[in-house]
Amino acid sequence: MEGHHKEEKTSDVQSPADPGHPVKCSPVIIDNIPLNGPTVNVLASENFIHQSMSIIVENAIKKATDVREKVCEWRSPEQLKELLDLELRDGGESESEILQRFKDAIRYSVKTSECLKFNELRSEHRDTTLGKWLPEYTYEVAPVFTLAEEAVLKKMMELIGWKDGGDGIFNAGGSMSNMYAVNLARYRCCPDIKENGLSAAPRLVMFTSQECHYSISKAAALLGIGTKNVYAIPSDERGKMIPSALEEQILSAKSEGAVPFMVNATAGTTVLGAFDPIDVIADICEKHNLWLHVDACWGGAALVSSKHKHLLKGIHRADSVAWNPHKMLMACLQCSAFMVRDKTSLLQRCHSARASYLFQQDKFYDVSYDTGDKSVQCSRKPDAFKIWLMWKALGSKELEQRVDRALCIHLNFISLQPEYANICFWYIPPSLQTLPDGPELWEKLHKVAPVIKERMMKKGSMMVGYQPHGEKANFFRMIIISPQVSRQDMDFVLDEINNLGKDL
């Protein structure tokens, strides 16, 4: 890898194999990114969690069940925006500031355990409060979380490159985001389907690479499009969709009398971590008037890095984007955003049911903040608040450093440099190293990874996944995300795999 190695004085770090005994090593810095030792202060994190729990117990449990307390402290959206300071900045905030954000979020949220709350078909027993937060569907029941979601979506859209903004919603996972994309693309193509059903549509077909996430086919099955109408486009040796093959398939589908309506490009494939050439695919979509969705659930985090955002070149041309902050950015599971470039309320028109008991149009505040009718769900967990609070604490610069560090570590793990944080490799035991390349070698190698996986799980030393891929034998697939991971951890992984498999 290109970069400058900077050696400094030795320091004590813990051995992954024996955490109780520090070992001497020389810190390694590449491109100003320290690779030795964790970057997170565990003791400080524990202290922060204890303080947070105290705030929850005092404010979200005790006060929320006290009839002397208000059910809510109402503020209009404009007033609440000023009180909360929702903007996400480059620099992070202090621990005391974040704890105050936490207190304010509870203070200005509706107390769902309050016995004087008779607003809808739900309430909460105090014993469940620690496990969940207030659901979203209208501003009046989730004012803080509605505005936090708006602020996070705005920031994410800026990173995508949508200068004029767009629309979006957090939902229950990346698979759901991809389903939203398919449904929205179909609605734009054939809006009568919403009322008249599939009988109102011709044979619709969509296109995606053979390396795409399985949720694309699931969405086609669930929405009645049919998995046979999902055309799998061949990928090159690095796992990227081949644009010329895409255009060939589009023309072929049209010649069959089918109606192409959507292309799904993947930014960070699940197995190889490959990024489809979005810019070229966008040219093809514009030529044939197709909806372009980018599944950036895994690779979207590269957008926060000035060094790695080139991986998603052209994403600003997408009609919709799925991005999961609970992956590389390490927000708590689950935290999944679906965003559209459209600003004509297409998302709401596609999914709206106009439930009169929730979405009254004569409310005393701006009803555009009632986001629930954009969703196929009713109640939603306020997942956006998790990434909002985390972003406030760390700032954009720290998030960028985390992405840069993860990718720097994985690029220094093996000689073949993958695009992203997916590391795929075979372990060849000594007994197989003298075998010539051929069917016998690969047949035997196919059995190695499952045995090593079983041994590491029963020993409890670590967890590394394995899988086959096409005609390739089982190989190990590692994902580097955590800022706690160091070069010593990577060395330990290789040593442990060797120790577990050298007798095979």
Side-chain angles (χ1 to χ4, degrees), residues 421-448:
N422 305 45
I423 300 176
C424 303
F425 62 96
W426 286 288
Y427 168 73
I428 304 177
S431 66
L432 302 184
Q433 291 176 12
T434 58
L435 287 180
D437 187 358
E440 182 185 2
L441 171 63
W442 295 109
E443 182 180 347
K444 291 183 176 180
L445 191 59
H446 185 70
K447 301 175 182 178
V448 171

Side-chain angles (χ1 to χ4, degrees), residues 34-303:
L35 302 187
N36 282 32
T39 61
V40 175
N41 186 322
V42 177
L43 292 178
S45 298
E46 289 180 359
N47 182 57
F48 178 80
I49 291 172
H50 286 307
Q51 292 184 69
S52 302
M53 294 303 294
S54 296
I55 291 173
I56 291 175
V57 171
E58 182 63 31
N59 296 278
I61 298 180
K62 289 183 179 180
K63 289 185 179 180
T65 55
D66 188 341
V67 293
R68 295 169 297 182
E69 296 285 338
K70 290 183 176 181
V71 174
C72 65
E73 290 195 30
W74 173 261
R75 297 291 188 277
S76 71
E78 293 73 21
Q79 292 173 322
L80 200 52
K81 285 180 181 180
E82 291 186 12
L83 287 168
L84 296 177
D85 183 19
L86 294 157
E87 184 180 353
L88 300 172
R89 302 181 176 87
D90 287 346
E93 296 184 344
S94 67
E95 183 179 288
S96 60
E97 289 175 309
I98 295 302
L99 290 172
Q100 185 59 48
R101 303 279 182 217
F102 205 23
K103 291 178 183 177
D104 290 342
I106 297 173
R107 176 181 176 182
Y108 295 111
S109 292
V110 175
K111 311 305 185 289
T112 54
S113 299
E114 169 64 72
C115 63
L116 297 179
K117 173 181 168 288
F118 307 106
N119 203 62
E120 66 275 317
L121 300 174
R122 59 171 306 283
S123 187
E124 289 178 351
H125 191 275
R126 67 181 185 180
D127 293 341
T128 72
T129 305
L130 293 178
K132 65 188 295 296
W133 273 84
L134 184 67
E136 290 182 80
Y137 35 81
T138 62
Y139 176 82
E140 66 182 297
V141 299
V144 175
F145 304 131
T146 298
L147 297 183
E149 180 176 63
E150 178 189 56
V152 173
L153 289 171
K154 177 184 177 183
K155 188 68 173 181
M156 295 174 79
M157 290 176 195
E158 288 175 0
L159 292 170
I160 289 170
W162 292 342
K163 296 179 180 179
D164 297 326
D167 200 358
I169 199 164
F170 274 72
N171 59 79
S175 293
M176 183 68 75
S177 293
N178 288 335
M179 188 196 75
Y180 270 104
V182 176
N183 199 41
L184 204 58
R186 183 177 67 174
Y187 178 76
R188 189 195 68 161
C189 178
C190 302
D192 290 344
I193 284 181
K194 180 176 179 179
E195 293 184 355
N196 299 325
L198 296 177
S199 61
R203 179 189 161 214
L204 298 173
V205 297
M206 52 191 287
F207 308 86
T208 188
S209 85
Q210 62 187 30
E211 300 288 336
C212 77
H213 192 263
Y214 63 83
S215 59
I216 300 298
S217 291
K218 279 197 170 186
L222 182 64
L223 295 171
I225 293 168
T227 57
K228 288 187 177 180
N229 290 317
V230 180
Y231 286 34
I233 310 301
S235 301
D236 62 20
E237 69 280 357
R238 298 302 297 268
K240 299 171 177 288
M241 184 193 295
I242 301 173
S244 59
L246 169 64
E247 186 147 35
E248 288 174 8
Q249 294 256 30
I250 292 172
L251 295 173
S252 176
K254 288 182 175 180
S255 70
E256 297 169 1
V259 178
F261 75 101
M262 172 186 172
V263 174
N264 172 68
T266 307
T269 58
T270 306
V271 180
L272 301 178
F275 288 73
D276 288 339
I278 300 171
D279 229 4
V280 182
I281 293 172
D283 289 338
I284 296 172
C285 288
E286 288 181 4
K287 179 180 177 180
H288 295 278
N289 192 29
L290 303 180
W291 182 280
L292 174 58
H293 173 64
V294 176
D295 175 1
C297 289
W298 173 221
L303 290 170

Side-chain angles (χ1 to χ4, degrees), residues 321-379:
V321 174
W323 179 359
N324 288 0
H326 69 236
K327 293 184 184 293
M328 177 69 82
L329 295 185
M330 295 183 65
C332 291
L333 191 71
Q334 62 196 15
C335 191
S336 303
F338 173 69
M339 295 161 284
V340 294
R341 185 155 48 100
D342 172 85
K343 296 185 68 178
T344 67
S345 300
L346 184 68
L347 185 61
Q348 180 144 352
R349 284 185 280 120
C350 179
H351 298 126
S352 172
R354 299 178 183 176
S356 60
Y357 68 94
L358 285 176
F359 306 114
Q360 304 92 335
Q361 297 303 297
D362 56 355
K363 291 182 178 180
F364 62 98
Y365 60 85
D366 183 354
V367 294
S368 68
Y369 287 96
D370 287 354
T371 59
D373 221 14
K374 300 176 186 179
S375 170
V376 296
Q377 301 168 255
C378 182
S379 300

